Amino acid sequence: ASDVYKRQPHGFISTLEDELKLPSPNDDRLMKTIDANLKKSQKYKWDLKNNHEFTLKHFAKDVKYNIEGFVFKNMDTVSG
């Protein structure tokens, strides 16, 4: 799943970094951008039952992420 994380400019990490640099970052916009950037990847799946969850396929297993509070939890990890 490393390509899903690191792929520039639309990987998961670069998308998160871009969102955090905005004046008013938020989870909903981040989720929409992640989906737009990764929806064609076989290593990504958006949970249609819960629009705040998505799964990334890792080497060992699939990992489910919940986007709620994600921006807030990561705000001090990116320096402007």
Side-chain angles (χ1 to χ4, degrees):
S2 63
D3 65 320
V4 175
Y5 284 107
K6 298 178 185 176
R7 188 177 58 207
Q8 297 292 332
H10 302 295
F12 177 74
I13 299 298
S14 61
T15 301
L16 174 60
E17 288 174 346
D18 289 346
E19 181 67 28
L20 292 172
K21 291 176 185 175
L22 295 174
S24 298
N26 68 72
D27 294 331
D28 288 332
R29 184 176 45 234
L30 175 61
M31 185 69 246
K32 289 175 185 171
T33 306
I34 289 170
D35 187 60
N37 291 346
L38 300 179
K39 65 183 170 186
K40 292 182 181 178
S41 173
Q42 294 180 350
K43 296 179 181 179
Y44 164 80
K45 182 179 178 188
W46 188 1
D47 187 338
L48 297 175
K49 294 177 187 173
N50 181 344
N51 285 335
H52 291 105
E53 292 184 353
F54 62 97
T55 301
L56 293 178
K57 296 181 182 216
H58 293 266
F59 294 108
K61 65 178 184 173
D62 293 356
V63 177
K64 185 178 274 192
Y65 296 89
N66 187 313
I67 203 75
E68 292 179 3
F70 209 83
V71 166
F72 179 76
K73 292 175 190 174
N74 289 281
M75 292 215 45
D76 34 332
T77 62
V78 175
S79 59

